[in-house]
Amino acid sequence: MKNNLRPPVAAITGGASGIGLESARRWIADGGTAVLLDLARPALDKALAELGGRARGAVVDVADNASVLAGFQSIREIEGRLDAVVNSAGIARPGPSSEVSDEEFTHMLDIHLTGAMRSCRAAYPLLKRTGRGTIVNLASVASLTGMPGRASYTTAKAGIVGLTRTLAVEWAPDGIRVNAVGPGYVRTALTDTLVAEGKLDDALIKARTPLGRFADPEEIAEAIHFLSTPASSYVNGHLLMVDGGMTVDGNWYS
């Protein structure tokens, strides 16, 4: 990162836990300031206690446009600049596609896909003013593969890739680069819960992943950080898969 009188600022949705929190930790380690935008106040308070004075939190619901606008307005008023956005907010609710309701389906899209768009749109004026802003959207292996019982999730994550590509070409003249990271399975509190509830078989996932393990959140954060900084200054509209080789594995053929 470039040294300025004021440290570069990153806004991270879903920043109070998992990949979002690790992204904030990585950004701060490189000298930046992180603004965590998260729905859960207790988790925010805990994360801020861990991160120290280089982090600030705001309660933001990405499914509520007014809430998103208020969160980014606070950045305009308090930090006065914005260099990077990481759209990490999301949930997982597996279930049979034949039984998913309209409300359940659209709720998933509203958080993952429309939520990312709300964040990007609200951040746009601040990033444009920076002149070299970046956005990293969280896609998934689900963006590229069919996953039974996850119709709403895979649809949302595939949509994020399309959104990323469109914003990348539309906003490039404004100096804004937009990319996406596609994690494989990551060892987070969310995946631990799904495993404990029997909704995820970690043994099968490890067997399906050439590297034979889940990712650590820090490994995904490193990829996000790369795309958020000048180290990737000519990378735009790219989906970087960080999945241990899951989406390119052809062992099923042998």
Side-chain angles (χ1 to χ4, degrees), residues 5-235:
L5 292 177
R6 292 181 299 168
V9 176
I12 304 169
T13 71
S17 62
I19 293 170
L21 177 57
E22 289 305 323
S23 296
R25 205 185 311 276
R26 181 64 182 86
W27 184 265
I28 291 169
D30 206 25
T33 296
V35 181
L36 313 185
L37 308 176
D38 202 287
L39 182 59
R41 179 82 256 180
L44 261 179
D45 291 340
K46 181 180 178 185
L48 293 173
E50 291 178 15
L51 296 174
R54 297 296 288 271
R56 180 177 70 83
V59 175
V60 169
D61 180 0
V62 297
D64 180 346
N65 191 51
S67 179
V68 173
L69 289 172
F72 282 94
Q73 179 60 27
S74 78
I75 295 172
R76 183 189 304 275
E77 295 171 355
I78 298 172
E79 284 75 24
R81 67 180 288 176
L82 182 62
D83 300 84
V85 175
V86 178
N87 286 311
S88 181
I91 59 173
R93 292 178 180 169
S97 299
S98 59
E99 298 174 10
V100 66
S101 68
D102 285 358
E103 292 75 18
E104 290 168 334
F105 190 86
T106 56
H107 182 59
M108 186 73 72
L109 268 62
D110 200 29
I111 293 173
H112 285 272
L113 180 53
T114 313
M117 179 56 188
R118 291 185 185 104
S119 174
C120 292
R121 189 175 58 205
Y124 171 77
L126 283 165
L127 294 173
K128 182 179 179 181
R129 190 167 71 186
T130 298
R132 52 178 178 79
T134 64
I135 297 172
V136 179
N137 295 319
L138 264 291
S140 168
V141 290
S143 303
L144 303 179
T145 57
M147 304 180 76
R150 289 162 175 80
S152 54
Y153 185 82
T154 56
T155 300
K157 290 303 188 182
I160 282 175
V161 177
L163 173 66
T164 296
R165 289 171 177 158
T166 295
L167 297 185
V169 297
E170 185 175 343
W171 292 354
D174 298 312
I176 301 170
R177 294 186 297 110
V178 188
N179 292 288
V181 165
Y185 282 90
V186 185
R187 186 59 72 184
T188 64
L190 178 60
T191 53
D192 286 345
T193 298
L194 292 174
V195 170
E197 293 176 349
K199 296 177 180 177
L200 207 59
D201 189 328
D202 57 349
L204 288 178
I205 291 165
K206 291 174 184 176
R208 177 66 176 81
T209 304
L211 287 183
R213 61 177 177 84
F214 280 54
D216 292 324
E218 296 87 348
E219 293 176 295
I220 311 302
E222 284 291 345
I224 291 170
H225 192 71
F226 167 69
L227 293 174
S228 299
T229 67
S232 60
S233 58
Y234 205 59
V235 181

